[in-house]
Amino acid sequence: MSSIRPWRTIERRPSRQIMVGNVPVGGDAPITVQTMTNTTTEDVGATIDQIRRCEDAGADIIRVSCPTAESTEHFDKITAAANVPIVADIHFHYKRALEAADKGAACLRINPGNIGSSERVAEVVRAAKANGCAIRIGVNAGSLEKDLLEKYGEPCPEALIESALDHIKLLQDHDFHEYKVAVKASDVFLAVAAYHGLAEAVDCPLHLGITEAGGLIGGTVKSSIGIGSLLWAGIGDTIRVSLSAEPEQEVKVGFEMLKALGLRTRGVRVVSCPSCSRQGFDVIRTVETLEKRLEHIKTPMSLSVLGCVVNGPGEARETDIGITGGGAGKHMVFLSGVTDHHVKSEDMLDHIVSLVEAKAAQIEAGEAVAFDPHAPQPAEAAE
């Protein structure tokens, strides 16, 4: 494929692989999608319920904050109930890291520099080794060390990178190498520049994020620009889209980024038009409804929903299933890129859902494959 359409190729930065629980991160492993619970961790039931919703949305790894002794008291119940690896988010209190490691955390998110003395870092490392925990070093522009702020005058890429390298050395000095690193900032330019510099300096997996990105729309835009540009450059092994929204939304946005770049596929990829006066049906409401009704589909496949025949047939030829608006309340249905039949407006939604569900079932049963309009045609394969 790369020789036929090189403009589709993303060459990922080589990185060594670590394990976060049973999930590989780095190397040639799929880029993972993370989120973080926002429940009170002491409320075990509420936290598990939210973890379950994030799992249903597709989260590969979920982070849980552990700020108090009460938050880790029943942490083992949370890790036992989860179906994905749980990262314990630790700040300042090194004992919380020890407790979380002993109670099933797959990874500890720490800044080794704010854990305390070298002896305390050594204790955390011993606990991580004993329990098979990875460690994520989390550098953030909003909490840089005072000496680095004095040295550089402000948060800048060089300061974030130096902080990360200092923290890495603390772990390496204790012969610990199962770590990944993040250098986050709310400023897109700062974060992207820091990640590019760090990517050249280290071989460990990188966790991408634009921190404090904002609400669902604004934060999605900022994160897509920052995280998306890094992924396009081949940088990044695991991502978290930080939004002032429910964590399930972070997972959905993260997967949409990866789907747009062809790096991961999960669920239905929808191609739809912004709509105009040419539309043969209410495109906006139709897409909103279909997205909700198809959330349960995990099988990778594509659906085009276009209101008229200007671009409708062309887009439908690129998708598993396509609907193009026609006149007199009758619309064209495309299957695997080919015009197949027509459907009336009043039957359209139920009909499209049934077609998607049927195709997904066939794919899962091995009776069909997702349509790939970019697969080499016989003439191309012969070249």
Side-chain angles (χ1 to χ4, degrees):
M1 283 296 294
S2 60
S3 62
I4 299 169
R5 296 179 178 87
W7 36 270
R8 287 184 173 274
T9 302
I10 293 177
E11 293 184 8
R12 285 181 64 186
R13 158 187 169 267
S15 65
R16 57 187 176 82
Q17 190 173 99
I18 68 169
M19 297 297 296
V20 177
N22 60 355
V23 174
V25 175
D28 59 356
I31 296 168
T32 55
V33 177
Q34 302 190 29
T35 188
M36 185 174 183
T37 57
N38 57 27
T39 53
T40 302
T41 307
E42 291 84 349
D43 189 338
V44 173
T47 301
I48 291 173
D49 287 344
Q50 192 171 73
I51 286 172
R52 196 71 71 236
R53 293 194 297 274
C54 293
E55 290 172 342
D56 289 342
D60 299 299
I61 299 169
I62 298 174
R63 181 155 47 113
V64 175
S65 183
C66 297
T68 65
E70 291 76 18
S71 69
T72 54
E73 183 178 358
H74 300 295
F75 196 69
D76 52 340
K77 294 182 179 179
I78 293 172
T79 57
N83 297 310
V84 300
I86 298 298
V87 178
D89 191 71
I90 311 294
H91 289 282
F92 305 111
H93 301 291
Y94 80 102
K95 288 186 178 180
R96 302 295 83 79
L98 307 183
E99 294 156 1
D102 287 340
K103 294 189 175 183
C107 181
L108 306 173
R109 189 275 190 193
I110 63 172
N111 277 352
N114 69 25
I115 286 296
S117 65
S118 178
E119 290 75 20
R120 289 184 174 181
V121 173
E123 282 195 59
V124 173
V125 168
R126 280 195 294 271
K129 285 183 175 180
N131 292 282
C133 287
I135 288 178
R136 171 161 80 86
I137 296 170
V139 176
N140 193 304
S143 56
L144 276 172
E145 296 88 331
K146 290 182 179 179
D147 62 319
L148 291 177
L149 288 175
E150 291 174 0
K151 177 179 178 178
Y152 291 100
E154 65 176 1
C156 62
E158 293 78 12
L160 268 67
I161 294 167
E162 184 171 334
S163 177
L165 295 177
D166 288 345
H167 292 149
I168 287 172
K169 187 176 186 304
L170 284 174
L171 296 185
Q172 291 179 332
D173 286 346
H174 294 286
D175 194 30
F176 190 86
H177 307 282
E178 296 300 300
Y179 58 82
K180 52 183 176 168
V181 185
V183 281
K184 295 185 177 182
S186 59
D187 182 303
V188 174
F189 298 96
L190 173 55
V192 170
Y195 275 112
H196 273 281
L198 188 62
E200 295 179 359
V202 299
D203 69 345
C204 63
L206 298 183
H207 171 91
L208 302 187
I210 304 299
T211 194
E212 288 96 39
L216 182 58
I217 294 178
T220 294
V221 171
K222 284 181 66 176
S223 297
S224 297
I225 292 170
I227 297 174
S229 69
L230 289 165
L231 292 172
W232 201 339
I235 296 171
D237 303 286
T238 182
I239 67 172
R240 189 245 173 135
V241 181
S242 299
L243 302 175
S244 299
E246 292 304 318
E248 308 96 286
Q249 297 296 333
E250 295 186 349
V251 177
K252 293 175 184 178
V253 172
F255 265 102
E256 288 300 323
M257 283 187 198
L258 296 176
K259 285 160 66 175
L261 291 168
L263 293 168
R264 287 282 296 271
T265 54
R266 182 184 190 275
V268 182
R269 177 176 62 86
V270 178
V271 177
S272 60
C273 66
S275 81
C276 68
S277 61
R278 293 192 304 267
Q279 63 184 352
F281 55 86
D282 188 337
V283 173
I284 294 174
R285 248 55 63 185
T286 297
V287 171
E288 287 177 350
T289 302
L290 286 173
E291 286 182 335
K292 289 179 181 177
R293 291 185 60 178
L294 296 174
E295 281 187 342
H296 66 291
I297 301 293
K298 314 303 181 190
T299 310
M301 57 187 301
S302 54
L303 168 67
S304 59
V305 182
L306 282 94
C308 76
V309 296
V310 174
N311 293 319
E315 294 293 348
R317 293 188 190 104
E318 302 275 309
T319 55
D320 286 283
I321 296 165
I323 182 77
T324 294
K330 291 185 66 177
H331 316 296
M332 292 182 287
V333 177
F334 293 72
L335 301 180
S336 297
V338 178
T339 309
D340 191 83
H341 58 276
H342 290 76
V343 64
K344 295 180 180 178
S345 294
E346 58 267 30
D347 303 322
M348 183 176 65
L349 285 169
D350 288 341
H351 186 63
I352 293 300
V353 170
S354 66
L355 288 174
V356 171
E357 290 176 336
K359 180 67 179 280
Q362 290 177 326
I363 293 172
E364 291 302 313
E367 299 169 357
V369 295
F371 179 57
D372 181 6
H374 305 293
Q377 300 302 309
E380 293 176 317
E383 293 177 358

